[in-house]
Every structure is written in C-alpha cells, then in structure tokens.
Amino acid sequence: MKDTEVVKALAALAQESRLRLFRLLVVAGPGGATPSRMGEALGIAPTSISFHMKELLNAGLVSQVRDGRHIIYRAQVDAMNELLGFLTANCCGGEPCLNTPIPVPCSTC
C-alpha cells in the first residue's frame, strides 16, 4: 500500500459518522447494507450517508453495487487488512509483540 493511499483511508475514517458507517458495514459482512438500513441503525440522515459513503468509496474502503432500486454498500475487507498490515508492518522492531491481541477469525471473509 502506498503512503498516499494510507493517508486517504485514514482521512476517510477520521470522521465520526464515517467511522461508524464503516464499522457497521464490517459487522454486516458480505451481505452489506443499504443506506436506509444504515440510517436507521445509526440515526444518520440519508443525505449525510450519501456524502460520507462517497468519501469511503474514494478511499477504497467500501464498494457499492446496485440491486434494482437499491444500492448496497460493503466494507472492503482486503483494503482494511492492507491498511492494518501497513500500520503494523514494522511492529516492535521485528521482535514478537507481547501486547498483540488474539486474532479473531472471520467466518464470512
């Protein structure tokens, strides 16, 4: 991952509503969620959702597909994992980390 891509992804997530939307999509898994479902779950106005999703799309953190009249957004788990990998690539100077959380397997990834 290039530095510019990392900065774009972190900038997209550095806003409370976008962070909440992204986390909701991670929880939703491969099925994703529609803007109406996201708005109901998080109490965010549909016009705001459209604005925030554009930023997440531009950062490559989410994808969208049209299903009839609906748009379904999905978290891009590969992009999220690349970002995490970039951030932790040189963790602890190459030594095993003592405070590394136990990985939680994703049954839907």
Side-chain angles (χ1 to χ4, degrees):
M1 202 169 197
K2 297 178 184 174
D3 288 355
T4 55
E5 295 168 323
V6 171
V7 169
K8 191 182 284 191
L10 292 175
L13 293 172
Q15 199 282 337
E16 184 180 357
S17 293
R18 286 194 290 271
L19 180 60
R20 292 174 63 211
L21 287 163
F22 182 74
R23 292 186 72 205
L24 181 141
L25 291 174
V26 169
V27 171
T34 62
S36 60
R37 179 173 164 228
M38 291 186 281
E40 290 170 8
L42 300 176
I44 299 174
T47 53
S48 291
I49 289 175
S50 174
F51 171 78
H52 292 306
M53 295 312 292
K54 183 182 82 165
E55 293 296 318
L56 292 169
L57 278 163
N58 187 43
L61 294 171
V62 300
S63 64
Q64 71 177 13
V65 293
R66 185 165 288 283
D67 184 19
R69 295 185 318 178
H70 302 284
I71 296 175
I72 299 174
Y73 291 97
R74 292 182 178 95
Q76 292 297 102
V77 177
D78 289 343
M80 177 185 69
N81 286 334
E82 276 188 62
L83 178 60
L84 292 172
F86 178 90
L87 294 172
T88 59
N90 298 312
C91 178
C92 304
E95 296 296 321
C97 296
L98 298 175
N99 296 323
T100 304
I102 299 169
V104 178
C106 178
S107 62
T108 60
C109 298

